[in-house]
Amino acid sequence: MTSERSNAPGTRPFVGVVGGVGPLATAYFLNHVVRLTVAERDQDHVDMVVLNHATIPDRTEFVLGRSEQDPGPVLARDARRLEEFGADFLVMPCNTAHYFTQQVLDAISVPFVSIIATTVDAVRDRVPGLRAVGLLATSGTSSSGVYQDAFDAYGVATLVPDEADQAVVTSIIYDQVKAGRPADLEALRGVVERLVERGAQAVILGCTELSVVAVDHGLLDEPLFVDSTDQLARATIRRAGGTVRGEAPGA
Amino acid sequence: MTSERSNAPGTRPFVGVVGGVGPLATAYFLNHVVRLTVAERDQDHVDMVVLNHATIPDRTEFVLGRSEQDPGPVLARDARRLEEFGADFLVMPCNTAHYFTQQVLDAISVPFVSIIATTVDAVRDRVPGLRAVGLLATSGTSSSGVYQDAFDAYGVATLVPDEADQAVVTSIIYDQVKAGRPADLEALRGVVERLVERGAQAVILGCTELSVVAVDHGLLDEPLFVDSTDQLARATIRRAGGTVRGEAPGA
């Protein structure tokens, strides 16, 4: 072997991605991990296995009690299968699916890097003295309280859109991105403005479908936005032993 | 269960992707499959498991005899692992890796959809009375003869760039796309012009890194180009029971 970065198993942590929720968001996550990794050649990238399990029952429908098809056991089984495949740690590029985190944790013995915890840490790093954050997410994520509970622990208020604005966000996620149609960026910006007027010092793109919109429209360059897919991609590269573009090696 | 498209195992063929060669090309392949699938909701997409095995030894280096690190057994093992994971058929979004197709076939019992055969069929469909086709690919693909052998069977000549032009193509693949840098599109167009002057009636983008360039620069809209990633994505969706945008269902 001429290189430490050979294909020998166990050389660097192997990433398992519990994905497909949704499929385009999973593809963007993979693309984002590759783009963000400092690499001169293929072998500098992190090894990953991505389960793009598109047919998992809808997460928000179940969280809101509108469907009896429980995605929790499916996500838990997928996570266990990825561990059995050889993954050294797991990520799940879907915020709403984190409602089922405990079921996933109960099914695996390898570490799980949470998109919620990673994003909360990033917001707190971004805004010193953080008091209030806006959350753009599915109704499932908002009503499940995964972000609110995490921010409550730091005395930070989580502001969610009012009912009319949440309907706009839901439509962008379900009727536009998941359906392969262009996103109504101006409508999204209106929702964001009203969160900022109410005191939001940062706005979380807390749905991986909104991360698709963020990449397509350059929102990642605006410091107001903290994108959950972007943060999970960075955490994934670091934990897998890669270097994130713009960061010091081993950061 | 309220839908035929439930998450029940075996409902629709489950796709295994022998990937990571290279990583960005694999991400583009996944993205392209999702974008090309007719879908109103997540559950309309095809289920896939993508092994993004970036640290596989370089294919071209081995094919050209410059490296003793043989990627063949690694690709064969990856394919077998994906079959064991539950994949109903396999694809490998890397043209050069198809030099090792027989090793992959020997390791698996599920069907394997070849990017070479799929692309050759697409070129023959595109150009009635085809006599000569240009090939843009790695030196490994060109010298391995995978495309030449396939076209020879139909009496079609495969034109490859001369040495100086191949160096341009190699640099775009290795020094630009694989290294995360912008591609020199004008240089690529010069190579294409000279293939057309020599009689090429179509030009194959026979390297999945060139497919990245094709998507980024809109080359898929130009009828001269037949893109191997695009063709493999279409074949994958059809075989997995999905519908390709712009095609009749079940085509």
Side-chain angles (χ1 to χ4, degrees):
Chain A
M1 293 291 178
T2 57
S3 163
E4 286 182 13
R5 283 171 170 160
S6 72
N7 61 308
T11 306
R12 283 187 297 172
F14 177 46
V15 186
V17 181
V18 183
V21 285
L24 189 61
T26 300
Y28 268 61
F29 175 73
L30 176 59
N31 188 61
H32 204 60
V33 168
V34 174
R35 294 270 188 201
L36 273 181
T37 304
V38 173
E40 283 293 323
R41 53 185 198 136
D42 290 351
Q43 292 77 14
D44 295 334
H45 285 276
V46 301
D47 288 331
M48 307 173 84
V49 56
V50 181
L51 180 50
N52 197 43
H53 194 173
T55 56
I56 291 180
D58 191 85
R59 286 66 60 194
T60 290
E61 288 292 296
F62 182 81
V63 171
L64 298 182
R66 294 184 197 142
S67 163
E68 293 184 354
Q69 289 196 301
D70 185 356
V74 186
L75 293 165
R77 190 186 64 201
D78 284 354
R80 193 170 53 244
R81 290 173 73 197
L82 290 171
E83 176 176 346
E84 288 165 0
F85 191 81
D88 293 306
F89 72 93
L90 300 180
V91 297
M92 189 159 66
C94 171
N95 291 268
T96 314
H98 279 63
Y99 174 77
F100 308 94
T101 298
Q102 193 55 53
Q103 287 179 69
V104 170
L105 292 177
D106 289 345
I108 61 175
S109 58
V110 292
F112 176 81
V113 178
S114 160
I115 197 172
I116 310 293
T118 303
T119 303
V120 168
D121 288 348
V123 177
R124 294 180 63 237
D125 283 349
R126 178 87 57 92
V127 185
L130 181 70
R131 294 177 312 276
V133 64
L135 175 63
L136 297 178
T138 63
S139 306
T141 297
S142 290
S143 72
S144 72
V146 284
Y147 274 105
Q148 291 89 333
D149 292 347
F151 279 115
D152 276 352
Y154 300 107
V156 173
T158 305
L159 307 174
V160 299
D162 65 20
E163 201 171 326
D165 274 354
Q166 182 60 48
V168 169
V169 175
T170 298
S171 183
I172 290 170
I173 295 169
Y174 278 86
D175 304 329
Q176 296 167 22
V177 179
K178 283 184 187 288
R181 298 194 184 91
D184 185 345
L185 191 66
E186 286 317 301
L188 190 69
R189 287 204 180 274
V191 176
V192 170
E193 274 173 31
R194 288 181 280 282
L195 288 172
V196 170
E197 282 165 11
R198 287 164 56 196
Q201 297 161 282
V203 172
I204 294 175
L205 300 172
C207 172
T208 49
E209 271 72 31
L210 297 176
S211 306
V212 170
V213 179
V215 168
D216 289 353
H217 295 279
L219 302 188
L220 297 191
D221 298 331
E222 300 180 30
L224 178 68
F225 295 107
V226 177
D227 176 49
S228 56
T229 298
D230 180 52
Q231 295 304 326
L232 186 64
R234 291 169 186 272
T236 299
I237 296 165
R238 287 183 211 117
R239 184 152 196 144
T243 300
V244 179
R245 284 186 193 275
E247 296 184 2
Chain B
M1 294 291 177
T2 56
S3 163
E4 286 182 13
R5 283 171 170 161
S6 72
N7 61 307
T11 306
R12 284 187 296 172
F14 177 48
V15 186
V17 181
V18 183
V21 286
L24 189 61
T26 300
Y28 267 61
F29 176 73
L30 176 59
N31 187 61
H32 204 60
V33 167
V34 175
R35 294 271 188 201
L36 273 181
T37 303
V38 173
E40 283 292 322
R41 52 185 198 137
D42 289 352
Q43 292 77 16
D44 295 334
H45 286 277
V46 301
D47 289 330
M48 308 173 82
V49 56
V50 181
L51 181 49
N52 196 44
H53 194 173
T55 56
I56 292 179
D58 190 85
R59 287 64 61 193
T60 290
E61 288 294 295
F62 182 81
V63 171
L64 298 182
R66 294 183 196 143
S67 162
E68 293 183 355
Q69 287 196 302
D70 185 356
V74 185
L75 293 165
R77 191 186 63 198
D78 284 353
R80 192 169 56 243
R81 290 173 73 198
L82 290 171
E83 176 176 348
E84 288 166 359
F85 192 81
D88 294 304
F89 71 93
L90 300 180
V91 296
M92 189 159 65
C94 172
N95 290 268
T96 315
H98 280 64
Y99 174 77
F100 308 95
T101 297
Q102 194 55 52
Q103 286 180 69
V104 169
L105 292 177
D106 289 346
I108 60 175
S109 58
V110 292
F112 176 81
V113 178
S114 160
I115 197 171
I116 310 293
T118 303
T119 303
V120 167
D121 288 348
V123 177
R124 295 180 63 237
D125 283 349
R126 178 85 58 92
V127 185
L130 181 69
R131 294 176 312 278
V133 64
L135 175 63
L136 298 178
T138 63
S139 307
T141 297
S142 290
S143 72
S144 72
V146 285
Y147 274 105
Q148 291 89 332
D149 291 348
F151 278 114
D152 276 353
Y154 299 108
V156 173
T158 305
L159 308 174
V160 299
D162 64 20
E163 202 171 326
D165 274 353
Q166 181 61 46
V168 169
V169 175
T170 297
S171 183
I172 290 170
I173 294 170
Y174 279 85
D175 304 331
Q176 296 168 21
V177 180
K178 283 184 188 288
R181 299 194 183 90
D184 185 345
L185 190 66
E186 286 317 301
L188 190 69
R189 287 205 180 274
V191 175
V192 170
E193 273 173 32
R194 288 181 282 280
L195 288 172
V196 170
E197 282 165 11
R198 287 164 57 197
Q201 297 162 284
V203 173
I204 293 175
L205 300 172
C207 172
T208 49
E209 271 71 33
L210 297 177
S211 306
V212 170
V213 180
V215 168
D216 290 352
H217 296 279
L219 302 187
L220 297 190
D221 298 330
E222 301 180 29
L224 178 68
F225 295 108
V226 178
D227 176 50
S228 56
T229 297
D230 180 52
Q231 295 304 325
L232 186 64
R234 292 169 185 272
T236 299
I237 296 165
R238 286 183 211 117
R239 184 152 195 144
T243 300
V244 179
R245 285 185 192 275
E247 295 184 4

